[in-house]
Amino acid sequence: MRSARQANSIAFAGQGLFLAVVLTELPQLKDKFDLSEAALVGAVAGISLIAALGSVAAERVAVRWSSRTALRLGLCLVAISGLAIACSPVPAALFVALAIYGIGLGAVDAGTNMQAVLIQHGQGRFILSSFYAAWSAGAIAGALFVAACAALDLSVSVAIGVAAVAVLLAGQTLGPRLLGAADAESGPDEHDPARPVPVGTFLMFGVTLALAFAIDLAVGNWSALYLSEELHASAAASALALAAYQGASLAGRLAGDTGVRRWGSRTVSRCAAAIGSVGLAIVVVAPTSAIAIIGFLVAGIGLPLIAPLCFSELGRRTGGRGLDALIARLNLFNYAGTLVGGVVVGSVATAANLRAGFAIPLLFALALFGLARIFSQRLRHSGATATIPGQN
């Protein structure tokens, strides 16, 4: 379990690194291929839609073989698509490469979360937040890497190509250490693989997850453009918005496991939503890029904790081979959220400006404060499912 946890943490980090590189290079890709704002919005929406297909494919592969196989295939697709993005000579080739990336993105998202919940089952205690902390660490590294490339005047192709090679090497080196099908079914929480999950419970966690990812992807997709176009920051300074958000999320997620064990997931999620609302309010009213970066940092302290809580609590309600399918289906709400976070914010920005666009994530953060009631007061360990209001 320790070896698998380390390997899956690096897979999370690789996913975060490459996504941060792609998102923070959006302004440069826009300029390189002379893309319109509408084309950029369409590309973001297309990636989200295709990623949902990748998640469904990962579910089929996991049920047929294992989530380890699904994750390794996904990492390969991410690396291949990254090299294709780096080498694209024309916009049409770029969009094809981004479509391939979408499939890989969905497969890796589903695979890493399936592995994370299985490993948590094996260890019998809440550890999901630490995996997402690894994702944040990778995203920070990716954003800072792009900032360094901009400072050194290296091309967008070099930045994305190097990141793709890093993902390829990590996936091939660490893949064999992940949990296979036999390992996944041997944990202490796998004694009752037929436990049903009510549809209403599943949908409530799905909506919560969608809103959390909508905020997360809005920051990832549009923070750099917000600073560069609305607040007139340099390319290097614009990349620091995502770095600040992910830096704060790393700190919050590193403390998240302990917080949930001590106070329960409901209290943690409610505090996370409140802190995030304050941060996004700062972003919306920020007069300068420095103030906006502070706002993104405050928002990152709390909001990124909510996604791992959703996977953890829902994952504890079943076991066995059915767990992979449940987690992969919950992951589909990730892309509903990214569509909203990427497309709605972008559409509002096109109609008005990005300052108005960031009011949408602020509203979502306020909604998450109310939805915190779906989480249990305390997470019980090993074999016991958490309680939710109205159920015994």
Side-chain angles (χ1 to χ4, degrees):
M1 285 296 171
R2 181 181 300 174
S3 179
R5 183 175 179 180
Q6 292 170 350
N8 199 45
S9 295
I10 293 175
F12 264 98
Q15 176 83 315
L17 182 147
F18 192 79
L19 182 61
V21 169
V22 171
L23 294 179
T24 51
E25 289 286 14
L26 280 177
Q28 287 69 42
L29 287 171
K30 179 184 176 185
D31 293 340
K32 177 181 177 180
F33 293 100
D34 194 25
L35 301 175
S36 66
E37 201 78 45
L40 210 58
V41 171
V44 171
I47 290 174
S48 297
L49 287 171
I50 296 171
L53 297 177
S55 185
V56 171
E59 175 193 341
R60 301 292 177 84
V61 172
V63 172
R64 178 73 180 272
W65 290 287
S66 69
S67 57
R68 174 173 64 188
T69 302
L71 177 51
R72 295 188 70 183
L73 289 173
L75 288 170
C76 285
L77 281 178
V78 168
I80 291 169
S81 65
L83 294 174
I85 293 170
C87 298
S88 295
V90 295
L94 172 66
F95 292 139
V96 171
L98 288 173
I100 298 171
Y101 172 58
I103 297 173
L105 175 69
V108 174
D109 279 343
T112 50
N113 280 297
M114 286 187 280
Q115 284 282 314
V117 174
L118 291 171
I119 294 166
Q120 177 170 278
H121 275 215
Q123 295 201 339
R125 62 195 181 102
F126 182 81
I127 59 170
L128 256 291
S129 186
S130 66
F131 288 113
Y132 278 75
W135 191 99
S136 296
I140 294 166
L144 294 177
F145 174 66
V146 170
C149 288
L152 295 172
D153 200 27
L154 297 177
S155 70
V156 60
S157 296
V158 170
I160 294 177
V162 170
V165 171
V167 171
L168 181 64
L169 292 176
Q172 295 307 303
T173 302
L174 299 168
R177 295 166 55 187
L178 297 167
L179 294 184
D183 300 319
E185 295 175 8
S186 63
D189 280 359
E190 307 311 301
H191 62 284
D192 183 11
R195 282 176 286 168
V197 176
V199 173
T201 300
F202 176 79
L203 291 177
M204 288 296 289
F205 279 109
V207 170
T208 302
L209 185 71
L211 292 176
F213 274 115
I215 297 170
D216 206 56
L217 266 293
V219 174
N221 287 350
W222 304 111
S223 59
L225 285 173
Y226 177 51
L227 264 68
S228 64
E229 296 189 1
E230 295 293 331
L231 301 177
H232 310 294
S234 66
S238 297
L240 294 178
L242 183 58
Y245 179 82
Q246 294 298 347
S249 74
L250 174 61
R253 285 169 168 174
L254 285 173
D257 290 343
T258 301
V260 171
R261 294 171 198 154
R262 180 173 298 177
W263 296 297
S265 54
R266 184 187 302 171
T267 298
V268 170
S269 62
R270 185 165 288 156
C271 290
I275 293 169
S277 298
V278 171
L280 290 172
I282 294 172
V283 170
V284 170
V285 302
T288 66
S289 59
I291 298 299
I293 290 172
I294 292 173
F296 284 119
L297 185 147
V298 173
I301 293 172
L303 290 170
L305 280 171
I306 295 174
L309 285 174
C310 290
F311 282 107
S312 175
E313 281 223 22
L314 191 61
R316 295 180 74 86
R317 287 166 163 76
T318 192
R321 298 301 294 273
L323 182 60
D324 282 342
L326 181 71
I327 296 303
R329 290 167 191 167
L330 179 63
N331 187 61
L332 292 176
F333 286 90
N334 174 347
Y335 308 113
T338 60
L339 278 172
V340 174
V343 178
V344 173
V345 173
S347 298
V348 173
T350 300
N353 54 52
L354 276 166
R355 187 183 297 275
F358 269 103
I360 305 299
L362 173 57
L363 294 176
F364 292 162
L366 294 172
L368 285 173
F369 183 84
L371 285 167
R373 62 185 176 79
I374 70 172
F375 293 97
S376 60
Q377 290 283 22
R378 287 283 188 270
L379 276 177
R380 302 173 188 171
H381 301 316
S382 189
T385 57
T387 60
I388 54 178
Q391 292 189 355
N392 296 317

